[in-house]
DNA sequence: CTAAGGACCTGTCGGC
DNA sequence: TGCCGACAGGTCCTTA
């Protein structure tokens, strides 16, 4: 379920249960994820204390002394905090069993996510090529303008390119472009600097709002329903193809950009 | 170097 | 009710 706000919410949700707590055992029921779960992963983590819980892009990082457990939620993954009285369900692929009796349970129907162990810090192959964090100051107008230079891909594809900036997924790419009045298919190098600066502001704004909404709607991370808060959130364009634009009232259009459905307003976005 | 397309999976929904 | 195709929040890898 992850766009970045959801990963951030998961991060904050599990943190109180596992920070400072020893991992008793890891149980892998289905190792065939996006990357196969290494057979020795449980042995590498058993007995180690979770020092902190963090995030890099959409990777959750549970830091231990010898490295970090990296969890990616893919398209359909989610985490819950349970105890051993909760029955194991379909697609509950991995349990991180903690010494305090809690279990971090990883569920992922489509198995596009991953659970890997990282001994190499930021040099891990999956992290090494990631771009800047969208909510950090290093993601700013100058940075994005520079990215757009000499690239003629659709601006939507560009902001979803995780080698440039991480964490902007299909939903928030659409929302931030709408707020910025930029047509999603417009060539990146054909957009005025001022408008790119506006886009940066809106990307940050849209992500922050979603994190806030996620945090407030998901007050109990042990809730049985792992549905993210942001699906109760209303979107201005995502999923609204054919419905009226909230600004001009004309029906919203839909297109495929980089094989992803994209909804936009043909008259408000140029 | 950039850009475009395929690949990986299961579940759900609409149409017939 | 059942079957079938289209589609879904990601991103890595290969090819051009």
């Amino acid at each position: 379920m992850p766009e970045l706000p959801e990963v951030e919410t998961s991060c904050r949700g599990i943190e109180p249960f596992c920070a400072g707590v020893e991992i008793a055992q890891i149980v892998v029921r289905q190792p065939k994820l996006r990357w196969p779960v290494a057979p020795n992963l449980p042995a590498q983590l058993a007995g180690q204390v979770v020092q902190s819980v963090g995030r890099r892009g959409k990777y959750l990082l549970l830091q231990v002394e010898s490295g970090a457990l990296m969890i990616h939620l893919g398209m359909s993954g989610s985490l819950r905090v349970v105890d051993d009285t909760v029955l194991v369900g379909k697609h509950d692929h991995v349990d991180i069993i903690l010494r305090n009796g809690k279990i971090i349970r990883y569920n992922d129907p489509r198995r596009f996510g991953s659970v890997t162990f990282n001994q190499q810090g930021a040099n891990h192959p999956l992290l090494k090529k990631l771009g800047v964090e969208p909510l950090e100051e290093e993601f700013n107008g100058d940075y994005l303008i520079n990215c757009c230079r000499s690239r003629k891909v659709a601006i939507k594809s560009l902001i979803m390119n995780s080698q440039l900036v991480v964490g902007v997924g299909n939903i928030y790419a659409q929302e931030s472009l709408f707020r910025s009045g930029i047509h999603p298919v417009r060539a990146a190098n054909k957009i005025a600097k001022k408008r790119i600066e506006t886009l940066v502001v809106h990307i940050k704004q849209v992500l922050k709002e979603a994190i806030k909404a996620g945090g407030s709607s998901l007050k109990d991370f042990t809730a049985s329903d792992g549905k993210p808060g942001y699906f109760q959130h209303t979107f201005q364009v995502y999923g609204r193809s054919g419905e009226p634009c909230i600004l001009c009232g004309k029906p919203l259009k839909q297109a495929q950009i980089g094989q992803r459905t994209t909804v936009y307003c043909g008259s408000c976005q140029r």
Side-chain angles (χ1 to χ4, degrees):
Chain A
M1 12 203 96
E3 290 243 0
L4 182 136
E6 188 51 27
V7 179
E8 180 67 27
T9 302
S10 297
C11 184
R12 296 179 190 180
I14 65 169
E15 203 263 350
F17 299 96
C18 55
V21 180
E22 183 186 324
I23 296 171
Q25 191 190 351
I26 296 202
V27 174
V28 179
R29 298 184 196 87
Q30 169 58 278
K32 292 180 188 168
L33 304 181
R34 178 67 161 88
W35 311 113
V37 181
N40 64 349
L41 180 138
Q44 286 174 301
L45 287 148
Q48 298 213 54
V49 172
V50 178
Q51 297 167 335
S52 62
V53 182
R55 174 184 70 69
R56 174 75 178 102
K58 291 175 186 168
Y59 291 91
L60 274 166
L61 303 171
L62 306 210
Q63 203 69 44
V64 298
E65 194 179 354
S66 63
L69 178 64
M70 296 201 302
I71 300 173
H72 197 291
L73 300 176
M75 288 274 248
S76 56
S78 62
L79 295 176
R80 279 188 305 149
V81 178
V82 299
D83 59 39
D84 60 13
T85 65
V86 178
L87 292 178
V88 171
K90 205 175 182 186
H91 308 306
D92 284 339
H93 303 315
V94 179
D95 277 0
I96 302 159
I97 303 170
L98 299 165
R99 199 57 83 184
N100 63 6
K102 296 293 183 186
I103 301 172
I104 312 287
R105 183 161 284 170
Y106 172 85
N107 178 287
D108 185 4
R110 284 180 77 180
R111 290 194 265 128
F112 281 1
S114 61
V115 177
T116 48
F117 181 64
N118 170 11
Q119 282 179 296
Q120 309 144 68
N123 260 337
H124 190 282
L126 290 171
L127 303 180
K128 199 159 61 173
K129 294 165 82 178
L130 292 181
V132 302
E133 288 288 331
L135 296 175
E136 299 293 320
E137 152 56 31
E138 57 186 351
F139 181 61
N140 55 37
D142 286 345
Y143 176 82
L144 192 59
I145 287 162
N146 200 39
C147 292
C148 289
R149 198 163 279 154
S150 87
R151 279 183 235 250
K152 55 181 185 184
V153 268
I155 185 64
K156 185 192 174 222
S157 298
L158 185 136
I159 60 176
M160 290 180 70
N161 180 347
S162 61
Q163 297 192 20
L164 302 176
V165 55
V166 295
V168 183
N170 198 32
I171 293 178
Y172 297 108
Q174 294 172 65
E175 294 297 312
S176 59
L177 286 164
F178 175 77
R179 290 189 187 193
S180 306
I182 299 173
H183 196 294
V185 87
R186 177 159 220 104
N189 63 356
K190 293 267 173 65
I191 304 173
K193 291 181 180 181
K194 223 165 180 122
R195 306 182 71 212
I196 296 287
E197 286 169 357
T198 306
L199 179 55
V200 168
V201 170
H202 286 304
I203 287 171
K204 288 176 188 279
Q205 188 187 85
V206 130
L207 292 175
K208 280 185 195 160
E209 284 177 18
I211 289 169
K212 208 171 157 196
S216 56
S217 69
L218 198 64
K219 44 171 115 89
D220 181 7
F221 214 74
T222 60
S224 59
D225 179 15
K227 283 288 174 218
Y230 70 53
F231 266 143
Q232 281 126 44
H233 196 273
T234 55
F235 299 108
Q236 297 182 329
V237 285
Y238 171 77
R240 296 194 61 238
S241 179
E243 294 176 37
C245 170
I246 59 160
L247 296 179
C248 73
K250 293 191 187 127
L252 295 172
K253 295 184 176 177
Q254 177 173 323
Q256 291 297 119
I257 301 176
Q259 287 137 287
R260 308 299 297 277
T261 297
T262 308
V263 180
Y264 63 98
C265 177
S267 67
C268 297
Q269 294 176 254
R270 295 275 146 190

